């Protein structure tokens, strides 16, 4: 079965850290770019980070640059999003997604190029 399964969300105080995981199965992990979207209540979805599994290139949106780090464990077909210095503005449902194209599909919200979506995990940052 082709799927992405996220884990690691939860409630954290401002300034704290969380690590999200996105475990992939059912497709050729190394041929994809894996990205993270988030959607806060009442706001549009935004693509916040992406990693190209084949070459390790990464992308970060400005709101998370310097605080979030994306990485992959290719042996375990898993992508991680380490989130440090969390702010209440980071409160959102975080979803990972896989595209056989480049990270541009994530950064430009080109949903037609997204092949697999995770179910989403809620991150709540209290002030």
């Amino acid at each position: 079965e082709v799927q992405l399964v996220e884990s690691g969300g939860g409630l954290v105080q401002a300034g704290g850290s969380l690590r999200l995981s996105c475990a992939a199965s059912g497709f050729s992990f190394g041929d994809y770019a894996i990205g993270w979207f988030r959607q806060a209540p009442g706001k549009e979805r935004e693509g916040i980070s992406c990693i190209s599994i084949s070459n390790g290139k990464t992308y970060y949106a400005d709101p998370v640059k310097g605080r979030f780090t994306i990485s992959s464990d290719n042996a375990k077909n898993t992508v991680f999003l380490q989130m440090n210095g969390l702010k209440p503005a980071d409160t959102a449902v975080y979803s990972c997604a896989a595209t056989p194209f480049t990270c541009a599909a994530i950064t430009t919200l080109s949903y037609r190029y997204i092949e697999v979506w995770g179910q989403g995990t809620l991150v709540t940052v209290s002030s």
Side-chain angles (χ1 to χ4, degrees):
E1 181 181 2
V2 175
Q3 62 178 356
L4 295 171
V5 179
E6 298 111 336
S7 61
L11 173 64
V12 65
Q13 288 188 333
S17 299
L18 283 174
R19 189 176 81 154
L20 305 183
S21 299
C22 174
S25 60
F27 61 94
S28 183
F29 186 71
D31 293 336
Y32 282 70
I34 308 292
W36 288 93
F37 292 92
R38 70 183 182 184
Q39 187 164 22
K43 295 188 176 181
E44 294 187 354
R45 181 184 287 146
E46 56 179 334
I48 58 168
S49 187
C50 182
I51 183 167
S52 175
I53 301 302
S54 62
N55 60 22
K57 288 187 177 180
T58 59
Y59 160 84
Y60 299 95
D62 286 343
V64 306
K65 200 172 293 182
R67 299 187 297 123
F68 291 11
T69 303
I70 192 169
S71 62
S72 68
D73 182 337
N74 295 352
K76 296 183 178 179
N77 286 3
T78 301
V79 168
F80 303 98
L81 186 68
Q82 177 67 42
M83 307 186 295
N84 298 328
L86 283 162
K87 307 173 182 180
D90 295 317
T91 295
V93 174
Y94 287 69
S95 302
C96 61
T99 174
F101 298 93
T102 68
C103 279
I106 306 294
T107 64
T108 61
L109 305 181
S110 298
Y111 300 130
R112 64 188 181 279
Y113 297 126
I114 303 297
E115 283 195 357
V116 191
W117 285 93
Q119 81 282 5
T121 186
L122 177 63
V123 172
T124 303
V125 184
S126 63
S127 57

